[in-house]
Amino acid sequence: MSFTIVETMTSEPPSEHAREHMVAMRDGVELATDVYLPDGATAHSAILVRTCYDKSSRYTALTFEAEYYRSRGFAFVTQDVRGKFRSGGETLPYAHDVADGYDTVEWIIRQPWSNGRVGVTGQSYYGFTTWAAVASGHPAIRAAVPMVTGIDMGAGHVGAQWSQQVPYLAGLNDLLQIWTDHHGYLAEINWGADSVENIVAAARARIGECRAASRMLERSVDQGWYNPYGDRHPYHTTAIPILHWQNWYDPGLAPLGLRDWRHFRSLAGERDLHFLRVGSADHSGYLLEDVGAGDARNPYLSESALAEKIETECGEVADFFDEHLNGVRPSTPRPRARWHVGHVGWQSSPEYPPPSEPLTFHLSAGGTDVHALNRDPDADTTSLTWTHDPDHPVPSSTDIEAIWYLLAAYPDERDLAERPDVLTFRTEPLTEHLDFAGQPVLTGHVSFSAPSTHVFAKLQDVHPDGTTRPISWGRAVLSARAGDALTLALDDNAYRLRRGHRLQLQIQSSDFPHSVVHPGSDANPWLTTQRTPSTHSLGVGGIAGARLVLPTITVTEDPDEEHQ
């Protein structure tokens, strides 16, 4: 079967320390809202989190976070968003969160325990609801910490501009499981078994209509830009301190979040309201340093790992809100940007990306399965070819769910080099450590037989024993109308390639089931069932050959983290 329910997730009971309220929105819909108050009778600043994943669940761990924030003197307010778990209203993502965020904050400041100051935070979709509350412009919101999210998350999730952006099948996977009704579902979905429309229909037959999925497929026809903010888009309306919180190993959302950071730092007036914190972790918070430790270091599964995560991460969030809600100055000035270099440690800088020196590697022909990455270009030019077969796409190296906990299931991708539809380029073993921070950039010329195509690029760390780990990703839609020039900025990372390791670059035209397969035509990839193979050619060698540029940096060593 293409769609099989494994588990139905219903609302868990609120914490004994919470008082649940049904808070009426402007249209009369009531949203389930838990309030956790610190000890003592004084008025408090509030931290608001609005989630679609059940405010009381072990998955969100908000009941555990509440105890920490209470101990720091904050009122902690959590809410099931409209249409989810204990809240009323239609189950539809993005559409109501600006207004509902405003109305919830208005309710908070009218409570006797409120001092009239509110901070908003949350991760992933409830990072989006954080931005939605900021966009609402409520004057009581004094600061925000959006985490592992992006302002325009909805545009890719339910907007489907497939001719401009490689569409994530992982997003539709989430819609069916999270946004069908008030419950949540853990489902096994075999995306290779049938067409997308038929799989959505199979889900409809099992659990009911997912309006978000149906609307996404409808939007894919005209590809209109999806903007849930109306005339309140945060790019133009944000005027409060923001701590942008991202993790490098989150290819689903970190690129959007780092784009947001770059936008706000480009502004003349409000740029100094913005701060950055980026860790060597995946979307779920699993750390690079814990790779190989298994479930014992997974905060979703281990009580000790969760306690450590709360103490560290909630501590940073509370510090930010103490500073900007309560006027508590930090003992040392807050760095503008704080970011982690994998296998080295935390760095801080007045700007991110930090100053860097470009290091160029030329893609060179040679070998059978593996070509070379060299410091000098080949004297002769040549073309390397591969065929994209939509019926036999390059498989993603993890299952579709693992894109959100990539390091917990950190794949060894060595076998991909054996595929004829993957071009692989590799350096010789490094004689010295190589540190970079920012976006690696791939340039070159790619010709293809179809009217358009997808190009995926992946930067990898090849260990001395052959273990091959992904460290940066890039994806692009190319159109024959725009020519064959490729300039592809891969995702940000800050990373040390260690002595004796090799840098590897792979180029391909599919990554299934993480992304929708390009059909080999200009047809809508979400809806078409007609697929045609296409051939691709990459020019290497000479002055115009393909090249990869790394932004190399000098780092401050942290000997305690060198072993990672």
Side-chain angles (χ1 to χ4, degrees), residues 404-442:
W404 306 116
Y405 50 90
L406 188 70
L407 293 178
Y410 207 13
D412 179 353
E413 299 185 328
R414 72 178 80 194
D415 292 343
L416 290 176
E418 300 174 2
R419 291 184 61 100
D421 50 359
V422 177
L423 293 185
T424 301
F425 303 86
R426 186 184 298 163
T427 67
E428 292 298 317
L430 301 175
T431 58
E432 300 292 340
H433 295 325
L434 175 58
D435 302 320
F436 76 90
Q439 292 183 282
V441 178
L442 172 66

mmCIF file of all heavy atoms in Angstrom, residues 404-442:
data_model
loop_
_atom_site.group_PDB
_atom_site.id
_atom_site.type_symbol
_atom_site.label_atom_id
_atom_site.label_comp_id
_atom_site.label_asym_id
_atom_site.label_seq_id
_atom_site.Cartn_x
_atom_site.Cartn_y
_atom_site.Cartn_z
ATOM 1 N N TRP A 404 14.887 15.518 8.878
ATOM 2 C CA TRP A 404 14.714 16.397 10.039
ATOM 3 C C TRP A 404 15.589 15.977 11.221
ATOM 4 O O TRP A 404 15.691 16.718 12.190
ATOM 5 C CB TRP A 404 13.245 16.429 10.455
ATOM 6 C CG TRP A 404 12.352 16.793 9.309
ATOM 7 C CD1 TRP A 404 11.393 16.004 8.736
ATOM 8 C CD2 TRP A 404 12.333 18.019 8.583
ATOM 9 N NE1 TRP A 404 10.789 16.662 7.696
ATOM 10 C CE2 TRP A 404 11.345 17.913 7.576
ATOM 11 C CE3 TRP A 404 13.064 19.212 8.670
ATOM 12 C CZ2 TRP A 404 11.064 18.932 6.681
ATOM 13 C CZ3 TRP A 404 12.791 20.238 7.773
ATOM 14 C CH2 TRP A 404 11.806 20.096 6.793
ATOM 15 N N TYR A 405 16.169 14.792 11.182
ATOM 16 C CA TYR A 405 17.113 14.387 12.236
ATOM 17 C C TYR A 405 18.326 13.736 11.571
ATOM 18 O O TYR A 405 18.727 12.624 11.864
ATOM 19 C CB TYR A 405 16.462 13.469 13.276
ATOM 20 C CG TYR A 405 15.696 12.282 12.749
ATOM 21 C CD1 TYR A 405 16.328 11.055 12.542
ATOM 22 C CD2 TYR A 405 14.336 12.374 12.489
ATOM 23 C CE1 TYR A 405 15.630 9.967 12.072
ATOM 24 C CE2 TYR A 405 13.623 11.273 12.014
ATOM 25 C CZ TYR A 405 14.274 10.076 11.810
ATOM 26 O OH TYR A 405 13.588 8.990 11.343
ATOM 27 N N LEU A 406 18.941 14.513 10.685
ATOM 28 C CA LEU A 406 19.972 14.004 9.794
ATOM 29 C C LEU A 406 21.177 13.452 10.535
ATOM 30 O O LEU A 406 21.731 12.408 10.169
ATOM 31 C CB LEU A 406 20.411 15.122 8.837
ATOM 32 C CG LEU A 406 21.356 14.705 7.727
ATOM 33 C CD1 LEU A 406 20.625 13.844 6.715
ATOM 34 C CD2 LEU A 406 21.948 15.924 7.046
ATOM 35 N N LEU A 407 21.627 14.131 11.585
ATOM 36 C CA LEU A 407 22.807 13.665 12.296
ATOM 37 C C LEU A 407 22.519 12.453 13.169
ATOM 38 O O LEU A 407 23.399 11.617 13.395
ATOM 39 C CB LEU A 407 23.409 14.794 13.140
ATOM 40 C CG LEU A 407 24.006 15.962 12.343
ATOM 41 C CD1 LEU A 407 24.529 17.033 13.292
ATOM 42 C CD2 LEU A 407 25.109 15.492 11.409
ATOM 43 N N ALA A 408 21.310 12.351 13.665
ATOM 44 C CA ALA A 408 20.944 11.160 14.427
ATOM 45 C C ALA A 408 20.974 9.918 13.543
ATOM 46 O O ALA A 408 21.187 8.803 14.029
ATOM 47 C CB ALA A 408 19.563 11.333 15.053
ATOM 48 N N ALA A 409 20.757 10.124 12.240
ATOM 49 C CA ALA A 409 20.829 9.020 11.266
ATOM 50 C C ALA A 409 21.875 9.355 10.200
ATOM 51 O O ALA A 409 21.686 9.087 9.027
ATOM 52 C CB ALA A 409 19.460 8.820 10.625
ATOM 53 N N TYR A 410 22.997 9.948 10.631
ATOM 54 C CA TYR A 410 23.995 10.500 9.707
ATOM 55 C C TYR A 410 24.447 9.450 8.699
ATOM 56 O O TYR A 410 25.089 8.456 9.062
ATOM 57 C CB TYR A 410 25.182 11.018 10.502
ATOM 58 C CG TYR A 410 25.969 12.130 9.852
ATOM 59 C CD1 TYR A 410 25.498 12.836 8.752
ATOM 60 C CD2 TYR A 410 27.213 12.478 10.372
ATOM 61 C CE1 TYR A 410 26.227 13.876 8.190
ATOM 62 C CE2 TYR A 410 27.967 13.511 9.821
ATOM 63 C CZ TYR A 410 27.468 14.206 8.726
ATOM 64 O OH TYR A 410 28.199 15.213 8.177
ATOM 65 N N PRO A 411 24.153 9.648 7.421
ATOM 66 C CA PRO A 411 24.417 8.577 6.451
ATOM 67 C C PRO A 411 25.874 8.519 6.009
ATOM 68 O O PRO A 411 26.570 9.531 5.933
ATOM 69 C CB PRO A 411 23.510 8.973 5.278
ATOM 70 C CG PRO A 411 23.447 10.470 5.352
ATOM 71 C CD PRO A 411 23.457 10.792 6.825
ATOM 72 N N ASP A 412 26.316 7.324 5.697
ATOM 73 C CA ASP A 412 27.580 7.092 5.001
ATOM 74 C C ASP A 412 27.227 6.961 3.521
ATOM 75 O O ASP A 412 26.569 6.006 3.112
ATOM 76 C CB ASP A 412 28.241 5.831 5.530
ATOM 77 C CG ASP A 412 29.569 5.508 4.842
ATOM 78 O OD1 ASP A 412 29.917 6.190 3.854
ATOM 79 O OD2 ASP A 412 30.252 4.566 5.283
ATOM 80 N N GLU A 413 27.657 7.931 2.720
ATOM 81 C CA GLU A 413 27.214 8.018 1.333
ATOM 82 C C GLU A 413 28.243 7.484 0.338
ATOM 83 O O GLU A 413 28.207 7.824 -0.841
ATOM 84 C CB GLU A 413 26.867 9.472 1.000
ATOM 85 C CG GLU A 413 25.750 10.024 1.866
ATOM 86 C CD GLU A 413 25.308 11.422 1.489
ATOM 87 O OE1 GLU A 413 26.166 12.207 1.011
ATOM 88 O OE2 GLU A 413 24.115 11.741 1.650
ATOM 89 N N ARG A 414 29.133 6.622 0.774
ATOM 90 C CA ARG A 414 30.220 6.186 -0.102
ATOM 91 C C ARG A 414 29.715 5.460 -1.353
ATOM 92 O O ARG A 414 30.339 5.544 -2.414
ATOM 93 C CB ARG A 414 31.195 5.308 0.674
ATOM 94 C CG ARG A 414 30.696 3.929 1.027
ATOM 95 C CD ARG A 414 31.760 3.121 1.760
ATOM 96 N NE ARG A 414 31.832 3.479 3.167
ATOM 97 C CZ ARG A 414 32.852 3.114 3.950
ATOM 98 N NH1 ARG A 414 33.865 2.435 3.450
ATOM 99 N NH2 ARG A 414 32.850 3.445 5.228
ATOM 100 N N ASP A 415 28.594 4.749 -1.247
ATOM 101 C CA ASP A 415 28.136 3.939 -2.379
ATOM 102 C C ASP A 415 27.605 4.778 -3.536
ATOM 103 O O ASP A 415 27.521 4.287 -4.671
ATOM 104 C CB ASP A 415 27.057 2.950 -1.925
ATOM 105 C CG ASP A 415 27.605 1.867 -1.008
ATOM 106 O OD1 ASP A 415 28.836 1.687 -0.976
ATOM 107 O OD2 ASP A 415 26.798 1.224 -0.319
ATOM 108 N N LEU A 416 27.232 6.043 -3.275
ATOM 109 C CA LEU A 416 26.692 6.865 -4.351
ATOM 110 C C LEU A 416 27.720 7.111 -5.456
ATOM 111 O O LEU A 416 27.371 7.351 -6.608
ATOM 112 C CB LEU A 416 26.201 8.203 -3.796
ATOM 113 C CG LEU A 416 24.945 8.160 -2.928
ATOM 114 C CD1 LEU A 416 24.644 9.551 -2.362
ATOM 115 C CD2 LEU A 416 23.752 7.634 -3.721
ATOM 116 N N ALA A 417 29.009 7.041 -5.120
ATOM 117 C CA ALA A 417 30.054 7.272 -6.118
ATOM 118 C C ALA A 417 30.057 6.200 -7.201
ATOM 119 O O ALA A 417 30.633 6.407 -8.279
ATOM 120 C CB ALA A 417 31.418 7.346 -5.444
ATOM 121 N N GLU A 418 29.420 5.064 -6.946
ATOM 122 C CA GLU A 418 29.404 3.982 -7.917
ATOM 123 C C GLU A 418 28.299 4.151 -8.962
ATOM 124 O O GLU A 418 28.287 3.412 -9.960
ATOM 125 C CB GLU A 418 29.219 2.648 -7.190
ATOM 126 C CG GLU A 418 30.333 2.348 -6.184
ATOM 127 C CD GLU A 418 30.061 1.103 -5.387
ATOM 128 O OE1 GLU A 418 29.022 0.438 -5.635
ATOM 129 O OE2 GLU A 418 30.875 0.773 -4.496
ATOM 130 N N ARG A 419 27.411 5.120 -8.773
ATOM 131 C CA ARG A 419 26.300 5.286 -9.699
ATOM 132 C C ARG A 419 26.738 6.080 -10.926
ATOM 133 O O ARG A 419 27.383 7.129 -10.800
ATOM 134 C CB ARG A 419 25.129 5.995 -9.016
ATOM 135 C CG ARG A 419 24.432 5.176 -7.941
ATOM 136 C CD ARG A 419 23.220 5.930 -7.397
ATOM 137 N NE ARG A 419 22.236 6.193 -8.422
ATOM 138 C CZ ARG A 419 21.121 5.487 -8.626
ATOM 139 N NH1 ARG A 419 20.864 4.434 -7.860
ATOM 140 N NH2 ARG A 419 20.262 5.822 -9.570
ATOM 141 N N PRO A 420 26.336 5.655 -12.130
ATOM 142 C CA PRO A 420 26.706 6.397 -13.346
ATOM 143 C C PRO A 420 25.957 7.722 -13.493
ATOM 144 O O PRO A 420 26.384 8.567 -14.288
ATOM 145 C CB PRO A 420 26.337 5.422 -14.477
ATOM 146 C CG PRO A 420 25.279 4.542 -13.882
ATOM 147 C CD PRO A 420 25.649 4.385 -12.431
ATOM 148 N N ASP A 421 24.864 7.906 -12.733
ATOM 149 C CA ASP A 421 24.114 9.167 -12.819
ATOM 150 C C ASP A 421 24.519 10.143 -11.715
ATOM 151 O O ASP A 421 23.814 11.120 -11.447
ATOM 152 C CB ASP A 421 22.605 8.928 -12.770
ATOM 153 C CG ASP A 421 22.162 8.038 -11.611
ATOM 154 O OD1 ASP A 421 23.037 7.577 -10.843
ATOM 155 O OD2 ASP A 421 20.938 7.796 -11.495
ATOM 156 N N VAL A 422 25.663 9.897 -11.081
ATOM 157 C CA VAL A 422 26.240 10.798 -10.087
ATOM 158 C C VAL A 422 27.687 11.075 -10.485
ATOM 159 O O VAL A 422 28.486 10.140 -10.606
ATOM 160 C CB VAL A 422 26.197 10.194 -8.673
ATOM 161 C CG1 VAL A 422 26.869 11.124 -7.665
ATOM 162 C CG2 VAL A 422 24.759 9.905 -8.236
ATOM 163 N N LEU A 423 28.010 12.349 -10.712
ATOM 164 C CA LEU A 423 29.401 12.726 -10.952
ATOM 165 C C LEU A 423 30.079 12.977 -9.613
ATOM 166 O O LEU A 423 29.565 13.739 -8.791
ATOM 167 C CB LEU A 423 29.489 13.991 -11.807
ATOM 168 C CG LEU A 423 29.016 13.920 -13.260
ATOM 169 C CD1 LEU A 423 29.312 15.237 -13.963
ATOM 170 C CD2 LEU A 423 29.665 12.763 -14.001
ATOM 171 N N THR A 424 31.229 12.360 -9.404
ATOM 172 C CA THR A 424 31.941 12.462 -8.126
ATOM 173 C C THR A 424 33.344 13.011 -8.362
ATOM 174 O O THR A 424 34.065 12.518 -9.239
ATOM 175 C CB THR A 424 32.026 11.091 -7.439
ATOM 176 O OG1 THR A 424 30.708 10.589 -7.214
ATOM 177 C CG2 THR A 424 32.749 11.197 -6.102
ATOM 178 N N PHE A 425 33.712 14.024 -7.562
ATOM 179 C CA PHE A 425 35.032 14.656 -7.647
ATOM 180 C C PHE A 425 35.626 14.673 -6.240
ATOM 181 O O PHE A 425 34.950 15.032 -5.282
ATOM 182 C CB PHE A 425 34.909 16.085 -8.190
ATOM 183 C CG PHE A 425 34.240 16.172 -9.538
ATOM 184 C CD1 PHE A 425 32.855 16.242 -9.639
ATOM 185 C CD2 PHE A 425 34.991 16.173 -10.696
ATOM 186 C CE1 PHE A 425 32.228 16.316 -10.875
ATOM 187 C CE2 PHE A 425 34.376 16.247 -11.943
ATOM 188 C CZ PHE A 425 32.997 16.314 -12.031
ATOM 189 N N ARG A 426 36.925 14.335 -6.141
ATOM 190 C CA ARG A 426 37.527 14.155 -4.821
ATOM 191 C C ARG A 426 38.966 14.663 -4.820
ATOM 192 O O ARG A 426 39.703 14.473 -5.789
ATOM 193 C CB ARG A 426 37.487 12.674 -4.447
ATOM 194 C CG ARG A 426 37.934 12.338 -3.042
ATOM 195 C CD ARG A 426 37.932 10.826 -2.834
ATOM 196 N NE ARG A 426 36.606 10.244 -2.990
ATOM 197 C CZ ARG A 426 36.386 8.940 -3.189
ATOM 198 N NH1 ARG A 426 37.403 8.095 -3.284
ATOM 199 N NH2 ARG A 426 35.156 8.501 -3.309
ATOM 200 N N THR A 427 39.367 15.300 -3.720
ATOM 201 C CA THR A 427 40.753 15.724 -3.569
ATOM 202 C C THR A 427 41.621 14.552 -3.122
ATOM 203 O O THR A 427 41.124 13.503 -2.702
ATOM 204 C CB THR A 427 40.883 16.844 -2.519
ATOM 205 O OG1 THR A 427 40.562 16.306 -1.229
ATOM 206 C CG2 THR A 427 39.983 18.029 -2.831
ATOM 207 N N GLU A 428 42.922 14.767 -3.157
ATOM 208 C CA GLU A 428 43.851 13.887 -2.469
ATOM 209 C C GLU A 428 43.704 14.125 -0.959
ATOM 210 O O GLU A 428 43.120 15.134 -0.534
ATOM 211 C CB GLU A 428 45.282 14.171 -2.919
ATOM 212 C CG GLU A 428 45.558 13.791 -4.369
ATOM 213 C CD GLU A 428 45.385 12.295 -4.610
ATOM 214 O OE1 GLU A 428 45.854 11.506 -3.757
ATOM 215 O OE2 GLU A 428 44.762 11.933 -5.629
ATOM 216 N N PRO A 429 44.193 13.229 -0.120
ATOM 217 C CA PRO A 429 44.130 13.479 1.333
ATOM 218 C C PRO A 429 44.770 14.809 1.692
ATOM 219 O O PRO A 429 45.834 15.170 1.174
ATOM 220 C CB PRO A 429 44.909 12.297 1.915
ATOM 221 C CG PRO A 429 44.773 11.209 0.904
ATOM 222 C CD PRO A 429 44.788 11.907 -0.423
ATOM 223 N N LEU A 430 44.100 15.561 2.556
ATOM 224 C CA LEU A 430 44.597 16.873 2.950
ATOM 225 C C LEU A 430 45.827 16.734 3.839
ATOM 226 O O LEU A 430 45.864 15.889 4.737
ATOM 227 C CB LEU A 430 43.509 17.642 3.692
ATOM 228 C CG LEU A 430 42.204 17.902 2.928
ATOM 229 C CD1 LEU A 430 41.190 18.568 3.847
ATOM 230 C CD2 LEU A 430 42.448 18.749 1.687
ATOM 231 N N THR A 431 46.813 17.584 3.593
ATOM 232 C CA THR A 431 48.031 17.559 4.414
ATOM 233 C C THR A 431 47.923 18.466 5.631
ATOM 234 O O THR A 431 48.733 18.370 6.550
ATOM 235 C CB THR A 431 49.240 17.966 3.568
ATOM 236 O OG1 THR A 431 49.024 19.269 3.018
ATOM 237 C CG2 THR A 431 49.451 16.970 2.423
ATOM 238 N N GLU A 432 46.931 19.365 5.627
ATOM 239 C CA GLU A 432 46.675 20.256 6.748
ATOM 240 C C GLU A 432 45.169 20.377 6.949
ATOM 241 O O GLU A 432 44.382 20.139 6.028
ATOM 242 C CB GLU A 432 47.273 21.653 6.501
ATOM 243 C CG GLU A 432 48.769 21.675 6.293
ATOM 244 C CD GLU A 432 49.551 21.317 7.550
ATOM 245 O OE1 GLU A 432 48.963 21.431 8.657
ATOM 246 O OE2 GLU A 432 50.729 20.939 7.434
ATOM 247 N N HIS A 433 44.763 20.759 8.147
ATOM 248 C CA HIS A 433 43.346 21.048 8.370
ATOM 249 C C HIS A 433 42.888 22.146 7.409
ATOM 250 O O HIS A 433 43.654 23.069 7.078
ATOM 251 C CB HIS A 433 43.094 21.535 9.794
ATOM 252 C CG HIS A 433 43.383 20.516 10.853
ATOM 253 N ND1 HIS A 433 43.162 19.171 10.688
ATOM 254 C CD2 HIS A 433 43.856 20.672 12.128
ATOM 255 C CE1 HIS A 433 43.484 18.534 11.800
ATOM 256 N NE2 HIS A 433 43.920 19.420 12.684
ATOM 257 N N LEU A 434 41.630 22.054 6.982
ATOM 258 C CA LEU A 434 41.032 23.066 6.112
ATOM 259 C C LEU A 434 39.736 23.541 6.763
ATOM 260 O O LEU A 434 38.799 22.757 6.923
ATOM 261 C CB LEU A 434 40.759 22.476 4.724
ATOM 262 C CG LEU A 434 40.024 23.359 3.709
ATOM 263 C CD1 LEU A 434 40.786 24.657 3.467
ATOM 264 C CD2 LEU A 434 39.809 22.603 2.402
ATOM 265 N N ASP A 435 39.681 24.805 7.161
ATOM 266 C CA ASP A 435 38.516 25.380 7.836
ATOM 267 C C ASP A 435 37.795 26.336 6.897
ATOM 268 O O ASP A 435 38.435 27.172 6.244
ATOM 269 C CB ASP A 435 38.949 26.150 9.086
ATOM 270 C CG ASP A 435 39.703 25.278 10.081
ATOM 271 O OD1 ASP A 435 39.301 24.109 10.255
ATOM 272 O OD2 ASP A 435 40.676 25.771 10.679
ATOM 273 N N PHE A 436 36.468 26.228 6.848
ATOM 274 C CA PHE A 436 35.696 27.185 6.055
ATOM 275 C C PHE A 436 34.426 27.570 6.795
ATOM 276 O O PHE A 436 33.948 26.845 7.668
ATOM 277 C CB PHE A 436 35.383 26.640 4.653
ATOM 278 C CG PHE A 436 34.289 25.596 4.598
ATOM 279 C CD1 PHE A 436 32.959 25.961 4.414
ATOM 280 C CD2 PHE A 436 34.583 24.244 4.712
ATOM 281 C CE1 PHE A 436 31.953 25.015 4.341
ATOM 282 C CE2 PHE A 436 33.587 23.287 4.652
ATOM 283 C CZ PHE A 436 32.254 23.674 4.465
ATOM 284 N N ALA A 437 33.900 28.734 6.444
ATOM 285 C CA ALA A 437 32.623 29.201 6.997
ATOM 286 C C ALA A 437 31.928 30.032 5.936
ATOM 287 O O ALA A 437 32.515 30.951 5.369
ATOM 288 C CB ALA A 437 32.834 30.025 8.260
ATOM 289 N N GLY A 438 30.656 29.707 5.684
ATOM 290 C CA GLY A 438 29.893 30.417 4.666
ATOM 291 C C GLY A 438 29.358 29.443 3.646
ATOM 292 O O GLY A 438 29.135 28.256 3.934
ATOM 293 N N GLN A 439 29.161 29.924 2.433
ATOM 294 C CA GLN A 439 28.569 29.117 1.376
ATOM 295 C C GLN A 439 29.625 28.724 0.345
ATOM 296 O O GLN A 439 30.177 29.593 -0.338
ATOM 297 C CB GLN A 439 27.452 29.892 0.676
ATOM 298 C CG GLN A 439 26.223 30.132 1.537
ATOM 299 C CD GLN A 439 25.124 30.838 0.771
ATOM 300 O OE1 GLN A 439 25.170 32.037 0.574
ATOM 301 N NE2 GLN A 439 24.138 30.077 0.308
ATOM 302 N N PRO A 440 29.902 27.432 0.186
ATOM 303 C CA PRO A 440 30.695 27.002 -0.968
ATOM 304 C C PRO A 440 29.920 27.330 -2.251
ATOM 305 O O PRO A 440 28.683 27.254 -2.281
ATOM 306 C CB PRO A 440 30.825 25.489 -0.769
ATOM 307 C CG PRO A 440 30.486 25.252 0.680
ATOM 308 C CD PRO A 440 29.510 26.313 1.047
ATOM 309 N N VAL A 441 30.631 27.703 -3.305
ATOM 310 C CA VAL A 441 29.983 28.094 -4.549
ATOM 311 C C VAL A 441 30.520 27.257 -5.702
ATOM 312 O O VAL A 441 31.741 27.185 -5.917
ATOM 313 C CB VAL A 441 30.179 29.591 -4.852
ATOM 314 C CG1 VAL A 441 29.534 29.962 -6.188
ATOM 315 C CG2 VAL A 441 29.597 30.445 -3.724
ATOM 316 N N LEU A 442 29.612 26.605 -6.425
ATOM 317 C CA LEU A 442 29.937 25.823 -7.607
ATOM 318 C C LEU A 442 29.554 26.622 -8.845
ATOM 319 O O LEU A 442 28.416 27.093 -8.955
ATOM 320 C CB LEU A 442 29.178 24.495 -7.578
ATOM 321 C CG LEU A 442 29.249 23.627 -8.837
ATOM 322 C CD1 LEU A 442 30.664 23.122 -9.080
ATOM 323 C CD2 LEU A 442 28.260 22.460 -8.729
#
